[in-house]
Amino acid sequence: MRTVGRILPVFAGLLIVLTYLLVRGATPDAALHERTLAALQALILNDAALHRDVLRARAGLLRNYDPLVQSVAGLRAAVNDLAAVRAIASDEASEEIGDRLAGLAAAVAEQEDLVERFKSDNALLQNSLSYFIHASHEFGRRAEDASAAQAVGALANGMLRFTSDPSAEAAAEVTVGLDHLASLPPAPTSATDTRALVAHGRLIVSAQPAVDGVVRRLLAAPVGPRARLLQDLYLDSHGRAVARAGIYRVLLYAAAVVLAGYLGYLFLRLRANARSLEARLHLESLIAEISTRFINLPRDRLGEGMSQGLAALAGHAAVDRAYILLRGSDGVGPVSDYRWQRGGLPAADAASDRDLLEMAFGWSPAGYERQACIHVPGVTELPAGAEKAVLSRRGIRSWLCIPLWRAGRRVGLLGLDAVRDAKSWPDDDIALLRTAGEIFLNALERARTDSERDALEVRLRQAQRIEAIGTLAGGIAHNFNNILGAILGYSEMALGRLPKDSGAWRQIQEVRKAGRRAKDLVDQILTFGRHGGHGHVPVQMPALVTEAVSLLRVSLPATVEIGTWIQTDAAVVPGDAAQLQQVIMNLCTNAAQAMDGRGTVDIALNVIELDAPRMLSHGNLAAGCYVRLAVADSGHGMDARTLERIFEPFFTTKPPGVGTGLGLASVHGIVADHGGALNVRSRPGAGSTFEVYLAATDAAGLVEERPQAPAPIGRGETVLLVDDDRPLMLLGEEMLAALGYEPAGFDSSPQALAAFRADPARFDLVLADQVMPEMTGSELAAAVHALRPDLPIILVTGYGTPVATDGLRAAGVREVLRKPLSSAELAGTLARHLGPGARPAAPSPPARLSHVR
Amino acid sequence: MARDAPIRRTPAGRRLAAATLSGLFVLGLIALWTSATGQDQADRFGGEPITPVPLMTALDPARVRLGEKLFHDAALSRGDLVSCASCHLLAHGGDDDRAHHMGADGRPLDFNAPTIFNVTLNARFNWRGNFQELERQNQAALLDPRLMNMTWHELLPKLRANPDYRSAFAEAYGADPEPRSLLDALAAFERSLLTPNARFDRYLRGERGAITAAEARGYSLFKSYGCVACHQGVNVGGNLFQKFGIFEDPFARRAAVTEADLGRFTITGAATDRHVFRVPSLRNVALTAPYFHDGSAATLEQAVAIMGRSQLGRTIPAADIEEIVAFLRTLTGEYRGRLLDASKERAGP
């Protein structure tokens, strides 16, 4: 519709111009021209003929007036014909020609009148002349009247002179002669003749001058000259008309040539359009084909499909490189393996790709955006700058960059490089290529979501298995715990009753040792099965790592080196410091074992900021700030199958007896309990990296939120500490000292009793382990109680509830604590039993809590 | 500028002018030749001032047929009273035998009806020569209240209602009757009314025995008395005006001079045209009595005698008149291959 509206006026205008040229270019009507010329010629010829015939008639040579009539009729017809002259002479001469024609018509009409008069008068004159000559001759011949004859003879002479020279004198002379003849007495025989002679003679005298006058006027009549003038004028005008028509014909020819050229141009344009349409169709079908191929493409062949698609695209667009660059999910550097390039071109390196990506995302030169794409037909014409440098470095002549968008974020680009020849892309092609880019991106997205889904499924399976095993193990562990309590309790009691170093005592002692090992195991099981983040406090991870490393250096073989990469000093997570320390210890122990006790374990700690959710091998992370703890070994690594199961309880790859299959399970349990996530990367023979992500927190904010009752602090009261396990005894001493007490530690109950006996008043409280070889805690308590009944005695046991409470109370035992001792529990208990003397601790920053720092 | 612009201003114009001029030259030669043959027409027939009636005409037969039908149809007059042929009897001499035909108003017409034969050979028509084209003459006769008394408004529907005319007009003109085609058809028929092969014409064409010795003497007298001064040409007259009464006034003895007697004066109003009439043709004159514009001469002998006195200033002796009349009778020609009926000659008024 719009096209028709535009074309119609052009068409109409063209038609008008061509018609105008045709009309103006037409030669004046040839037939009309001939007719006009013939009429003009007839005028001239008839006029000439008329003149001739008039003269002949006057001379008496022509006695027939038909030729005169014919000439006059010819003149009249020619004048009528010439009416056409006005129509044929279209230019400025037209008016003049009309005037001339009117003049000519008037002249012809005048001529006609003169001819009529001439015919009438000449007829009389000729008749009278012939009669006069004949009659005067007869008179002379008869000569019967001499005087009359003489008079007639004189008259005839006068008449002869008059007819040859009709002057007034001659006329007068003839008149005198006629009067004389008329006055003569008529002869009886010739009276009639005489009268007739006189009458005719008088007629000659009067008619001849009149006739001659008419003839003179006829000969002077301007018909012929006027006709010639008109003819000249007409021919002149006609010549101009023909010349003008010639010019218009040339113009018409030029218009035809222009139109033919335009037609050719239209044809070429049509053909070009058809070709470009064909190319576009081809591109469309190509894109459809790529799209179809992606739909049915298995994920593992995605890369191949991408390469093929890019190759097809590049082949169609006749470019030398086609590639897809995607920004890495951590926002650094491009991640892309999808590219195609013409053979013989140097491959672009990763740095170049990164530069290109950053340059494209930060594109600044104006005037190169087309349809939200960057279209650079000529790199050399770019203004000097980073963009030009990057593109030139890659040897690009023409560049088309199609940004790829995901959820409103620009994630990468589809790039087309023309290296050999410069190239420009039409708008329609760019639109199609954008579609192609979306298809590529969608295929990648689909592959990504597919793999995420698969990973989620795997993890779900893992989690279910871990939970199932955990629940099962937890249930069993609880029951075992009770059973073990009984076993250990009765073992201790039996030990107390059996003579030392007896066979039974030694055997019971072994039972007790085995029971304790079983108890440790059960405790571990209970650890990963436990849920709920109770008692989480802000934990300074760098300090924790440092502490753990110092412990590890002691416990791990000297052949294992430990490298620490602590990149932050302000990484705080809410959690249980002991558990978190266990995580570090377990991971490192595991790493050392994976290297067969030889190699380097790298521990890295940093804080990362995630601006998008991220999927890990074991768990997901929402966007946010995380503390990342990574433990990497250079060990033998794991295959995917192993990797899938490593956090399962009781799963181990170690020989029976070496591993319990609980270390990593505990790590998983603790991390899950802290709301963290694990990521494991490992390949057989290339080592493994375990990453722990824990939500970072603002230390100050967290403490404010969770105020803790200040731990009661002692005032230097002396506490008798007894534990046969020397390290534990030393640990206890430190704890007590930290709580503001004066610890007095012994690793043997008899020595402790001896020291008490030496100075009973020195001690304010006794803290004793129940299970000790020489003397149990309760035995010691009884002895001490006997010496100082007021002294508060606290037993510590690792085996649940002590068996005989009543006996213990009798022995002066005020309370039984469960191993392992926690500082807070200890502080509370001591404060409780040291009576009103125990005062609340002065307000102190939580950072100073002993178990934290 | 147009006046001064010479043809040779452009080469095209010059070439064209040259071509035109040479064409004109050739045309001129042809025209001169044809003109010369016209001049020689008289010489070809022994240099006589009278030439014979052409033997053939080139006319459209269909139109002539239609014209003939119209010519004889009284429907062309109001009340279907008269046709053209009522006054121009083709069997008679192309006119009637009365001095004045009765007009449509019941009064006699002004002029004696002239013959329709050889009408196309006249330069002008009617006694006063007031028409030069047959079509105009016919239209005037058709619409004259005293003649056909017709109007186009009345005539055309009448003709169109007539199937014969419709088909005849369609054949001749491819259209219904129109004034133009009707007048053309009538004129075409009238142009076909030639009477060639008069004995005198045959004599002119070289047939010496076509006329008798007396008739030949009559012709000589015709020339020597001067009759031929006016009555010349192919139609023996009809091609000039002349005053009636050069040497003697024919109206002098009349009791009253009618308006018709004033002749061409009534058309032009010029004093010199008083009593001036078109010189009538003398072809078939033996059949067209009575004579003169008013039909005042009942016989040829009377007419010749009056002519001699008034026009030639001569009193022609009776013997000469007889021979001249004998000559005049040789001017009767053939119509459609038959000599016009001379018996009517004797049936004068």
Side-chain angles (χ1 to χ4, degrees):
Chain A
M1 209 55 214
R2 194 167 55 93
T3 318
V4 169
R6 207 172 46 198
I7 281 179
L8 214 56
V10 172
F11 184 72
L14 205 63
L15 210 61
I16 288 168
V17 167
L18 287 178
T19 309
Y20 175 77
L21 288 178
L22 183 70
V23 168
R24 300 305 302 258
T27 318
D29 187 340
L32 210 55
H33 177 59
E34 290 302 322
R35 202 175 133 200
T36 306
L37 285 182
L40 284 165
Q41 205 58 33
L43 268 175
I44 294 166
L45 288 171
N46 278 310
D47 187 54
L50 189 64
H51 286 181
R52 181 199 62 199
D53 290 339
V54 161
L55 290 174
R56 285 172 71 212
R58 171 66 185 85
L61 296 171
L62 182 67
R63 293 176 292 168
N64 177 342
Y65 294 124
D66 282 350
L68 292 178
V69 170
Q70 281 164 15
S71 293
V72 169
L75 285 175
R76 213 164 46 223
V79 166
N80 288 339
D81 258 6
L82 280 178
V85 173
R86 289 198 74 155
I88 203 167
S90 58
D91 67 355
E92 62 278 1
S94 168
E95 198 177 331
E96 197 184 346
I97 286 176
D99 292 346
R100 292 278 174 92
L101 186 56
L104 194 59
V108 167
E110 188 196 346
Q111 184 119 322
E112 194 175 349
D113 284 348
L114 288 172
V115 168
E116 289 298 348
R117 280 185 62 189
F118 171 75
K119 285 190 294 187
S120 303
D121 294 352
N122 192 53
L124 294 176
L125 177 62
Q126 294 301 326
N127 179 48
S128 291
L129 274 174
S130 87
Y131 174 77
F132 191 89
I133 291 162
H134 172 76
S136 56
H137 175 68
E138 285 294 309
F139 264 93
R141 196 161 53 87
R142 279 203 302 260
E144 52 194 35
D145 182 345
S147 64
Q150 193 186 356
V152 168
L155 182 60
N157 281 337
M159 187 60 80
L160 189 60
R161 202 162 53 245
F162 172 74
T163 51
S164 60
D165 174 25
S167 61
E169 294 80 23
E173 188 186 333
V174 171
T175 307
V176 168
L178 286 170
D179 292 346
H180 172 66
L181 187 61
S183 64
L184 286 178
T189 51
S190 60
T192 320
D193 290 342
T194 305
R195 214 166 42 242
L197 189 67
V198 171
H200 281 280
R202 289 192 199 286
L203 191 139
I204 291 169
V205 171
S206 68
Q208 178 162 324
V211 170
D212 286 350
V214 169
V215 168
R216 268 195 300 277
R217 283 176 65 193
L218 258 176
L219 295 182
V223 172
R226 283 192 186 178
R228 277 189 200 89
L229 265 176
L230 182 60
Q231 176 174 293
D232 289 349
L233 199 63
Y234 167 72
L235 282 178
D236 198 6
S237 159
H238 182 262
R240 275 199 307 277
V242 167
R244 201 168 48 229
I247 290 168
Y248 281 109
R249 271 203 303 279
V250 167
L251 284 177
L252 195 62
Y253 172 74
V257 167
V258 167
L259 280 179
Y262 184 62
L263 202 66
Y265 163 74
L266 282 184
F267 173 73
L268 289 179
R269 224 176 73 170
L270 195 68
R271 206 171 57 172
N273 279 354
R275 280 185 180 165
S276 105
L277 254 172
E278 207 176 314
R280 198 156 305 138
L281 261 173
H282 181 240
L283 183 57
E284 274 176 20
S285 69
L286 188 72
I287 287 168
E289 192 186 321
I290 291 171
S291 175
T292 314
R293 196 186 305 163
F294 278 138
I295 288 172
N296 298 317
L297 198 66
R299 191 157 17 113
D300 54 352
R301 288 183 57 206
L302 178 70
E304 189 189 327
M306 294 288 285
S307 298
Q308 282 173 0
L310 286 171
L313 212 58
H316 173 83
V319 295
D320 302 301
R321 271 198 292 259
Y323 46 85
I324 288 176
L325 297 181
L326 293 178
R327 206 206 281 256
S329 53
D330 54 358
V332 286
V335 180
S336 172
D337 284 315
Y338 309 119
R339 61 178 74 241
W340 176 91
Q341 64 181 19
R342 198 180 293 286
L345 286 180
D349 57 9
S352 170
D353 282 352
R354 190 174 58 242
D355 288 349
L356 191 71
L357 195 64
E358 294 309 316
M359 181 272 286
F361 280 14
W363 185 263
S364 60
Y368 290 94
E369 278 86 0
R370 286 234 320 255
Q371 302 194 25
C373 299
I374 302 170
H375 177 234
V376 185
V379 170
T380 49
E381 289 148 28
L382 270 178
E387 286 85 2
K388 187 171 185 173
V390 169
L391 293 176
S392 302
R393 208 155 45 234
R394 286 168 76 98
I396 298 173
R397 285 201 188 168
S398 300
W399 190 51
L400 180 65
C401 166
I402 294 158
L404 303 177
W405 295 79
R406 178 166 65 211
R409 291 175 63 238
R410 195 157 49 173
V411 296
L413 61 85
L414 165 63
L416 297 174
D417 297 354
V419 176
R420 294 181 181 178
D421 303 303
K423 183 176 165 56
S424 178
W425 286 268
D427 276 352
D428 293 330
D429 276 10
I430 292 178
L432 284 172
L433 289 169
R434 279 178 66 185
T435 312
E438 280 164 22
I439 287 168
F440 282 124
L441 186 66
N442 286 344
L444 290 174
E445 279 294 290
R446 202 161 51 83
R448 195 175 64 90
T449 49
D450 281 358
S451 64
E452 271 182 14
R453 192 192 59 221
D454 289 357
L456 275 174
E457 277 173 10
V458 167
R459 270 221 315 281
L460 186 63
R461 272 205 310 277
Q462 271 175 9
Q464 283 170 344
R465 204 152 52 212
I466 289 169
E467 190 176 353
I469 295 170
T471 307
L472 175 69
I476 294 170
H478 269 293
N479 289 327
F480 264 103
N481 209 21
N482 291 341
I483 295 165
L484 281 172
I487 292 171
L488 286 171
Y490 284 110
S491 312
E492 283 184 20
M493 283 195 288
L495 280 175
R497 299 212 182 143
L498 285 171
K500 280 185 187 165
D501 298 327
S502 66
W505 187 86
R506 275 197 301 277
Q507 285 156 359
I508 296 296
Q509 190 76 0
E510 287 306 312
V511 167
R512 201 192 68 153
K513 278 183 187 168
R516 285 181 78 168
R517 278 205 303 278
K519 175 71 176 163
D520 283 347
L521 214 56
V522 166
D523 279 351
Q524 283 188 49
I525 293 169
L526 287 174
T527 302
F528 70 71
R530 199 171 62 192
H531 292 289
H534 309 298
H536 283 183
V537 294
V539 179
Q540 278 287 355
M541 289 300 284
L544 197 66
V545 171
T546 311
E547 197 176 314
V549 167
S550 65
L551 288 173
L552 283 165
R553 289 198 201 285
V554 178
S555 62
L556 291 180
T559 49
V560 173
E561 285 181 31
I562 300 174
T564 54
W565 310 89
I566 298 177
Q567 293 164 16
T568 176
D569 54 358
V572 180
V573 298
D576 185 322
Q579 288 186 352
L580 292 176
Q581 191 159 31
Q582 194 184 345
V583 166
I584 301 169
M585 301 292 284
N586 284 4
L587 286 176
C588 290
T589 308
N590 192 59
Q593 286 169 350
M595 299 188 298
D596 297 325
R598 193 172 297 277
T600 305
V601 174
D602 285 322
I603 303 173
L605 185 75
N606 58 0
V607 177
I608 63 163
E609 188 89 41
L610 286 188
D611 48 2
R614 192 159 163 193
M615 206 174 79
L616 306 176
S617 68
H618 295 80
N620 290 332
L621 290 181
C625 188
Y626 290 92
V627 173
R628 171 177 169 271
L629 172 75
V631 177
D633 65 58
S634 52
H636 36 61
M638 293 170 282
D639 56 20
R641 215 176 136 65
T642 310
L643 201 58
E644 197 178 314
R645 298 189 63 187
I646 45 173
F647 292 112
E648 282 180 22
F650 312 117
F651 176 81
T652 179
T653 56
K654 295 163 193 160
V658 177
T660 57
L662 287 173
L664 289 178
S666 301
V667 167
H668 184 269
I670 292 167
V671 170
D673 199 26
H674 282 72
L678 283 159
N679 192 37
V680 185
R681 287 179 285 151
S682 180
R683 272 193 297 153
S688 306
T689 302
F690 285 77
E691 290 172 311
V692 178
Y693 291 90
L694 296 166
T697 185
D698 178 1
L702 198 91
V703 171
E704 293 276 325
E705 272 175 29
R706 302 177 61 184
Q708 207 173 12
I713 288 185
R715 289 165 301 174
E717 292 95 335
T718 307
V719 174
L720 178 66
L721 179 64
V722 190
D723 196 330
D724 63 330
D725 194 337
R726 187 166 176 80
L728 281 180
M729 185 270 283
L730 293 172
L731 185 65
E733 274 189 341
E734 289 209 16
M735 265 189 208
L736 288 170
L739 287 172
Y741 298 96
E742 180 65 46
F746 297 89
D747 57 356
S748 157
S749 42
Q751 285 174 22
L753 187 57
F756 186 78
R757 278 191 180 127
D759 188 0
R762 177 185 161 203
F763 303 102
D764 297 310
L765 190 139
V766 175
L767 188 64
D769 189 20
Q770 168 63 12
V771 184
M772 284 183 288
E774 291 110 332
M775 182 190 286
T776 66
S778 46
E779 286 168 358
L780 180 65
V784 169
H785 188 65
L787 290 173
R788 260 190 80 181
D790 62 320
L791 197 68
I793 301 168
I794 296 167
L795 277 183
V796 180
T797 174
Y799 309 103
T801 315
V803 261
T805 315
D806 291 344
L808 291 176
R809 191 166 296 136
V813 174
R814 300 268 180 93
E815 196 169 345
V816 179
L817 290 178
R818 195 174 171 281
K819 271 189 179 175
L821 285 172
S822 92
S823 191
E825 195 181 1
L826 187 61
T829 308
L830 291 181
R832 226 174 10 256
H833 295 289
L834 285 173
R839 53 173 174 76
S844 61
R848 286 177 58 204
L849 288 174
S850 64
H851 69 281
V852 171
R853 199 173 286 278
Chain B
M1 173 199 159
R3 194 184 306 275
D4 298 330
I7 286 176
R8 57 195 170 278
R9 209 171 46 151
T10 65
R14 203 178 305 155
R15 269 203 305 280
L16 182 92
T20 312
L21 285 175
S22 53
L24 279 176
F25 182 66
V26 172
L27 272 176
L29 284 179
I30 294 168
L32 272 174
W33 180 77
T34 50
S35 168
T37 56
Q39 175 199 336
D40 292 347
Q41 191 80 2
D43 302 338
R44 236 172 66 202
F45 302 104
E48 296 298 337
I50 298 173
T51 54
V53 172
L55 293 171
M56 48 173 104
T57 55
L59 293 165
D60 182 344
R63 294 179 181 188
V64 170
R65 269 201 306 279
L66 175 59
E68 183 176 6
K69 186 174 166 62
L70 289 164
F71 190 84
H72 290 94
D73 195 341
L76 265 62
S77 68
R78 173 162 294 167
D80 297 353
L81 294 173
V82 292
S83 69
C84 304
S86 300
C87 292
H88 303 284
L89 295 96
L90 297 184
H92 194 271
D95 67 344
D96 56 8
D97 52 3
R98 308 183 204 175
H100 296 277
H101 200 97
M102 200 61 70
D105 56 358
R107 292 189 293 113
L109 295 173
D110 294 338
F111 291 93
N112 175 257
T115 177
I116 194 74
F117 280 123
N118 302 312
V119 69
T120 190
L121 300 178
N122 291 323
R124 290 166 181 269
F125 309 114
N126 287 346
W127 287 101
R128 290 176 293 179
N130 48 344
F131 291 104
Q132 289 178 302
E133 289 152 26
L134 268 179
E135 288 83 353
R136 286 173 186 270
Q137 155 65 31
N138 287 340
Q139 172 162 282
L142 202 60
L143 304 181
D144 190 329
R146 300 197 63 202
L147 296 175
M148 309 291 274
N149 194 21
M150 182 47 77
T151 62
W152 287 120
H153 289 300
E154 187 179 340
L155 178 56
L156 291 178
K158 211 164 161 181
L159 294 181
R160 287 172 188 166
N162 185 326
D164 289 349
Y165 275 124
R166 284 179 69 98
S167 62
F169 271 97
E171 186 193 352
Y173 295 97
D176 277 350
E178 291 290 339
R180 191 186 175 86
S181 53
L182 183 140
L183 294 175
D184 185 71
L186 270 178
F189 174 65
E190 286 163 4
R191 287 188 181 109
S192 76
L193 296 174
L194 293 180
T195 61
N197 281 331
R199 284 193 292 124
F200 183 69
D201 281 359
R202 279 158 43 203
Y203 168 77
L204 284 177
R205 292 184 201 275
E207 198 180 329
R208 287 290 131 187
I211 58 174
T212 62
E215 287 159 351
R217 276 199 307 278
Y219 177 47
S220 286
L221 291 171
F222 186 79
K223 289 193 283 188
S224 63
Y225 273 106
C227 309
V228 82
C230 290
H231 293 283
Q232 32 64 49
V234 64
N235 220 15
V236 200
N239 57 359
L240 76 162
F241 291 108
Q242 197 51 272
K243 186 174 181 175
F244 189 19
I246 300 291
F247 295 97
E248 189 183 300
D249 186 358
F251 306 104
R253 285 168 300 185
R254 299 259 178 108
V257 175
T258 64
E259 195 183 334
D261 294 339
L262 292 175
R264 192 165 167 76
F265 174 78
T266 56
I267 306 282
T268 64
T272 52
D273 283 339
R274 195 174 284 265
H275 303 308
V276 168
F277 298 90
R278 184 199 62 157
V279 173
S281 165
L282 295 183
R283 292 259 171 210
N284 306 309
V285 73
L287 308 179
T288 61
Y291 304 105
F292 300 155
H293 69 281
D294 51 0
S296 56
T299 65
L300 270 177
E301 287 78 3
Q302 284 175 18
V304 171
I306 290 171
M307 280 284 113
R309 280 199 305 275
S310 65
Q311 303 303 101
L312 302 171
R314 305 282 291 280
T315 304
I316 302 173
D320 285 359
I321 288 178
E322 194 170 328
E323 284 185 340
I324 288 172
V325 169
F327 155 70
L328 291 177
R329 291 203 172 105
T330 66
L331 292 173
T332 300
E334 296 174 353
Y335 176 57
R336 294 189 171 168
R338 276 184 53 217
L339 194 65
L340 287 170
D341 192 355
S343 64
K344 300 287 178 188
E345 181 191 354
R346 289 185 291 272

